Amino acid sequence: MTTTAIRVGIDVGGTFTDAVAIDAASLELVGTAKVLTTHRHPDGVARGIINALKELLENCGRSADDVVFLAHGTTQATNALLEGDVATVGVVGLGRGLDGWRTKAVRRLAKLELAPGKHLPVTYAHATESSQVPDAVAAVQRGGAEVVVGVEAFSVDDPDGELAVVRAAEARRLPATATHDISKLYGLKKRARTAALNASILPRMLGTAELVRGSIDHAGIHAPLMVMRCDGGVMSLEEMRRRPLLTILSGPAAGAAGALLAERVSEGVFLETGGTSTDISVIRDGRVAVAYAKVGGYATYLKSLDVRTVGVGGGSLVRVSGTKVTDVGPRSAHIAELDYGCFAEPDVVRGGRLELGRPMEGDPADYAIVVTDSGRFAITVTCAANALGVVPSGDHAYAEPTAARLVIEPLAAHLGCSVDDAARQILDRATARVRDVVDEMIDDYRLDREGLELVGGGGGAATVTPHLGATMKLPARIAAHSSVISPIGVALALVRDTVERVVPSPTQQDILSVRAEAERAVLAQGASPATVEVEVSIDPQRNVVAAVATGATDMHTRASADAGEDTALEAAARSMHVDASAVERTATTPQFRVYTSVRSRGGLVGKVTRPRHPVRVVDIDGVVRFGSPDAHVRTMTVATARAGLAEVLEQFTTYGDSGARVPAIQLLVGPRLANLAGMTHPDQVLALADTELSGRADNEDVVLVVEERS
């Protein structure tokens, strides 16, 4: 039997560790495995990863030699921070005078509350000059430090002091890091906070990394071992050893990556529903939305998926007051050690009686539980969804409706309504809380509700997403293989890294330098040069130049089959909210089709202003990768592109009280869509364009999508 190479993704959850095998050529799912997460094993969660991998290879009939890519995501860092189960951090501050005074204020990190009653354990020592650094490191070690962080006010400009701390700590066999190695941005408090949080999980994550790497080697797998990041990409094991904080929130990031890469979502809200909660994130222009993360309510310099969590899941218990369902959750059935009533045999829950009480000590006494001669059963959101028949047969959350309706009967009698009405009350309450957050994110990201879709993932997807879509009057669907969407996202994720630098009035050389640094970072982690893409932006208010680089680890990624003109045209028309007959293709590259339409401006003003030309860029998978409400499309070749771009910049640059504003430009050439919209000066646009055009044949087609800025 002929086999093909596979990409393996493993997601370590709180209860289960899930693994999937993806065909590296077709990107189709070819195998799955689920094992218990091994929190209490001497090898920790690493043992569960190995168990899952072994079972996966057996299930899909593959060998270690077939694995060309292996990545895992883990909740270990997130759980450690949420539970306050972290190492004591020895902070060594440096500096004299005003700078020294500012650095000493970092000792307040000990007030950072990670969990109720649990604060970041910090011991502090100060060195006013380099000769005092070894004594300061010795002092924090005597104070119980298990890991050391060097902190100095302007280390992003001169890192020598912090590097001296790292060397002194390593001489004492203590793991160490420095704030300049975590972020190159100014802002001492935020940089130190990020570095200290990173250090607090460093010992545990280093131990896990070594166990996983050793086990993978022992299993005979020679593929690069990658780790899921919190921004939807993956990083090398070596990078994880340096910055383990990047793994927090990697679970939700994996699910969003799965929706983006496997479900081809262009613009939407992704809801990953488990037993206890629903994680909500945004996908816009074919990208996941990221933001600086907060830990313990404090801002950090950690760029992560903007995920917002609601305490509503498929296992959330129902709460009752009088004759109304007042809420669901936050207590869930599996935490309360109650069986879902809908998964019981019908005769077991038939004729049950309703009790209101506390599932666990300290809970409110208004949770509804059904009691029969066979035991106590939970009325859950999953029970309600199955009672109404909205969970499709074969879904992970599916239960035979008879048992679901029987377990809700006592509640319906108490409420004085039908079983259907009681079930709807439950789903209404559950989705109302989720809807509040979805509405908030739609507003925050200014998403167009007309073109928006809700995509559900996770084992409980069918219990929340369909009903939410119905109440919000938005299209909603459940992702294929929704219960393993997270490991699918891990298996398909690209290597990613972000470089941010403070550069006042950046020159072309400054911008290209930051871009090159980001590109080198992903290449060093195994990305193939031909697959690397870099997006650069400038924040003139903060004087920050940022570059985000992505790339595939091998050339075994799918040679995508073209979804076809009809599929791409329909995607563009749907996104523009017009009939397909009103859309025309205006340009094409090997990877993209560009469509435009015409919309008249309304009102009296519309009679004297030009109509708008909405534009959509659709890739060959049929995914809208860029959309504009009004843009110009220009076609040219590589040979004429620089002159053509200069002409476009001159034509569409606008002038106002704040000075010149260059147009926002997307450059399409070959397989790439290069976003040049983050630039603030024509020379910057031309410099970045040169890097994208360099080395390409003169006769290759180039497309510019140009938006005027008002």
Side-chain angles (χ1 to χ4, degrees):
M1 181 178 68
T2 302
T3 60
T4 56
I6 57 173
R7 298 172 66 91
V8 173
I10 302 173
D11 181 58
V12 182
T15 305
F16 292 104
T17 295
D18 291 297
V20 299
I22 303 289
D23 187 292
S26 67
L27 298 191
E28 294 177 352
L29 181 69
V30 296
T32 66
K34 181 186 290 287
V35 303
L36 286 170
T37 298
T38 51
H39 294 291
R40 293 182 175 84
H41 191 277
D43 291 346
V45 298
R47 175 47 50 188
I49 293 173
I50 301 308
N51 293 344
L53 179 60
K54 180 180 178 182
E55 184 174 309
L56 177 70
L57 293 177
E58 291 175 354
N59 289 349
C60 62
R62 304 299 176 94
S63 71
D65 291 337
D66 295 322
V67 180
V68 296
F69 175 90
L70 173 62
H72 77 275
T74 174
T75 61
Q76 190 174 22
T78 305
N79 292 344
L81 291 172
L82 289 175
E83 297 166 9
D85 185 15
V86 296
T88 298
V89 180
V91 176
V92 175
L94 301 111
R96 62 174 68 242
L98 180 60
D99 287 347
W101 176 80
R102 293 176 60 205
T103 303
K104 287 178 182 177
V106 169
R107 68 181 70 200
R108 295 174 189 159
L109 285 170
K111 295 182 179 180
L112 199 160
E113 189 174 41
L114 300 175
K118 289 190 176 183
H119 294 77
L120 182 67
V122 172
T123 179
Y124 183 88
H126 196 83
T128 57
E129 54 188 49
S130 58
S131 62
Q132 297 174 353
V133 166
D135 289 341
V137 171
V140 296
Q141 187 174 33
R142 288 194 300 271
E146 301 164 78
V147 59
V148 173
V149 178
V151 180
E152 191 169 20
F154 293 100
S155 60
V156 294
D157 298 323
D158 181 3
D160 288 349
E162 289 188 352
L163 291 174
V165 173
V166 172
R167 289 192 297 270
E170 290 175 343
R172 289 179 166 270
R173 299 176 181 257
L174 284 172
T177 188
T179 71
H180 76 272
D181 200 34
I182 300 302
S183 174
K184 295 297 193 298
L185 298 180
Y186 294 131
L188 176 63
K189 289 181 182 178
K190 193 181 294 187
R191 197 172 71 247
R193 184 183 302 131
T194 309
L197 289 167
N198 184 74
S200 72
I201 58 174
L202 193 59
R204 172 181 289 195
M205 298 298 286
L206 286 175
T208 299
E210 294 306 321
L211 288 169
V212 174
R213 178 72 271 174
S215 299
I216 294 298
D217 289 342
H218 184 72
I221 293 176
H222 305 296
L225 175 60
M226 312 297 287
V227 183
M228 193 72 194
R229 293 165 53 109
C230 55
D231 56 9
V234 291
M235 58 183 168
S236 68
L237 197 63
E238 187 58 39
E239 183 64 15
M240 193 279 282
R241 290 187 180 105
R242 189 170 72 89
R243 294 190 288 175
L245 191 63
L246 285 170
T247 65
I248 73 165
L249 299 176
S250 62
L260 175 64
L261 299 167
E263 292 297 309
R264 303 177 182 180
V265 179
S266 300
E267 188 106 343
V269 176
F270 177 65
L271 304 103
E272 186 166 16
T273 302
T276 302
S277 61
T278 296
D279 293 323
I280 306 166
S281 52
V282 164
I283 296 172
R284 184 175 56 175
D285 286 339
R287 298 180 178 91
V288 294
V290 298
Y292 288 119
K294 288 187 176 182
V295 178
Y298 292 90
T300 70
Y301 277 138
L302 175 70
K303 276 286 185 73
S304 74
L305 177 80
D306 184 2
V307 59
R308 304 180 195 180
T309 301
V310 181
V312 172
S316 294
L317 301 180
V318 175
R319 300 173 67 178
V320 177
S321 177
T323 58
K324 291 184 178 180
V325 173
T326 55
D327 206 352
V328 296
R331 181 64 65 214
S332 62
H334 76 279
I335 296 296
E337 297 184 345
L338 292 170
D339 292 331
Y340 290 43
C342 59
F343 293 134
E345 290 295 324
D347 288 343
V348 171
V349 291
R350 194 184 307 275
R353 67 181 186 277
L354 186 75
E355 285 189 359
L356 299 180
R358 295 181 172 87
M360 299 181 71
E361 186 177 349
D363 286 344
D366 59 357
Y367 283 96
I369 298 167
V370 171
V371 180
T372 73
D373 293 340
S374 299
R376 294 160 58 83
F377 297 91
I379 303 174
T380 66
V381 177
T382 300
C383 297
N386 279 291
L388 291 174
V390 299
V391 182
S393 178
D395 187 89
H396 183 78
Y398 178 78
E400 211 283 319
T402 301
R405 297 182 67 83
L406 284 170
V407 81
I408 292 178
E409 273 186 2
L411 173 64
H414 178 84
L415 300 178
C417 64
S418 69
V419 169
D420 283 357
D421 285 343
R424 273 191 287 270
Q425 279 195 54
I426 294 169
L427 293 187
D428 285 345
R429 286 295 178 184
T431 55
R433 293 177 57 197
V434 178
R435 178 175 181 166
D436 287 343
V437 177
V438 171
D439 282 335
E440 178 183 72
M441 297 190 83
I442 289 173
D443 291 342
D444 287 351
Y445 286 96
R446 300 178 182 177
L447 300 179
D448 183 351
R449 289 176 184 263
E450 290 186 28
L452 198 65
E453 67 173 337
L454 305 179
V455 180
T463 68
V464 170
T465 301
H467 193 76
L468 179 64
T471 58
M472 295 187 71
K473 296 181 172 54
L474 290 174
R477 61 185 170 94
I478 301 168
H481 313 296
S482 61
S483 64
V484 289
I485 194 70
S486 287
I488 288 174
V490 175
L492 295 177
L494 299 174
V495 180
R496 180 180 173 116
D497 212 328
T498 300
V499 174
E500 295 180 303
R501 295 286 180 270
V502 175
V503 188
S505 303
T507 64
Q508 295 180 45
Q509 187 56 45
D510 292 328
I511 294 167
L512 295 178
S513 176
V514 174
R515 183 192 185 282
E517 186 177 350
E519 184 172 18
R520 287 195 302 271
V522 294
L523 291 173
Q525 295 178 65
S528 296
T531 68
V532 174
E533 295 184 8
V534 186
E535 182 174 317
V536 183
S537 61
I538 298 173
D539 183 341
Q541 273 72 45
R542 298 168 56 230
N543 293 319
V544 172
V545 179
V548 180
T550 57
T553 57
D554 54 63
M555 293 305 292
H556 298 285
T557 53
R558 174 182 56 177
S560 296
D562 193 335
E565 173 68 19
D566 290 345
T567 298
L569 181 66
E570 282 297 329
R574 188 168 57 250
S575 177
M576 290 189 224
H577 320 304
V578 298
D579 189 84
S581 61
V583 177
E584 64 174 333
R585 176 156 56 95
T586 57
T588 306
T589 70
Q591 183 70 21
F592 302 101
R593 295 179 174 94
V594 182
Y595 297 91
T596 189
S597 180
V598 177
R599 282 188 180 176
S600 298
R601 297 184 185 270
L604 292 175
V605 175
K607 298 181 184 298
V608 294
T609 58
R610 71 171 182 82
R612 292 181 299 139
H613 293 81
V615 172
R616 298 295 185 269
V617 177
V618 185
D619 67 18
I620 61 173
D621 286 328
V623 176
V624 177
R625 293 292 304 278
F626 174 77
S628 170
D630 190 21
H632 307 269
V633 179
R634 297 287 186 268
T635 58
M636 53 200 70
T637 64
V638 169
T640 62
R642 201 175 200 284
L645 184 54
E647 182 180 324
V648 162
L649 287 167
E650 182 177 355
Q651 180 180 356
F652 294 110
T653 294
T654 58
Y655 299 87
D657 293 341
S658 58
R661 300 197 70 195
V662 299
I665 297 176
Q666 310 291 322
L667 184 150
L668 286 70
V669 58
R672 298 193 179 186
L673 190 164
N675 183 357
L676 309 181
M679 300 299 99
T680 60
H681 192 276
D683 288 345
Q684 298 168 351
V685 177
L686 292 169
L688 277 181
D690 283 344
T691 65
E692 298 295 341
L693 299 170
S694 176
R696 309 202 74 89
D698 285 349
N699 62 350
E700 275 195 74
D701 291 328
V702 175
V703 179
L704 303 180
V705 179
V706 186
E707 295 177 286
E708 294 182 64
R709 300 192 210 250
S710 57

